[in-house]
Amino acid sequence: MKYCEHVRDIAAVTPSADGCEDCLKIGGRWVHLRVCEMCGHVACCDNPPNKHATKHYNATAHAIVKSFDPGEEWGYCYPDDMFFETLPKAN
């Protein structure tokens, strides 16, 4: 599988929460969850109105997220707009 250059920044992270960290703070709801592969921030996808995963990327430039939904292993790179069925492990 071909990966983008940003996968080199994947770190061994601990998820920051069991749900969208930002929605939990404001009483919001989420549909699907993403975990930042650089810092572990757990945020909601772009389906609900808050779009916290994308907001996290825009605020931090942390490029790679992975699905945080059970049974899903796919990842996504924001700046390269690339979908990956799986991501390499952290270095």
Side-chain angles (χ1 to χ4, degrees):
M1 172 176 277
K2 185 176 179 182
Y3 293 108
C4 67
E5 68 180 271
H6 299 99
V7 298
R8 71 176 186 271
D9 298 327
I10 291 175
V13 298
T14 300
S16 62
D18 290 329
C20 176
E21 187 175 338
D22 302 302
C23 283
L24 289 167
K25 290 177 185 174
I26 63 170
R29 294 177 176 252
W30 58 86
V31 178
H32 299 286
L33 296 171
R34 314 289 180 247
V35 62
C36 175
E37 290 291 279
M38 279 76 205
C39 72
H41 183 82
V42 176
C44 57
C45 67
D46 284 353
N47 290 339
N50 292 316
K51 300 178 170 102
H52 286 127
T54 298
K55 287 179 181 176
H56 177 74
Y57 163 67
N58 289 329
T60 64
H62 291 172
I64 305 286
V65 293
K66 182 177 177 182
S67 174
F68 196 55
D69 291 337
E72 295 184 1
E73 294 294 320
W74 62 265
Y76 178 75
C77 176
Y78 281 100
D80 292 319
D81 190 25
M82 290 181 74
F83 173 86
F84 308 106
E85 290 195 26
T86 60
L87 289 171
K89 302 290 183 202
N91 294 328

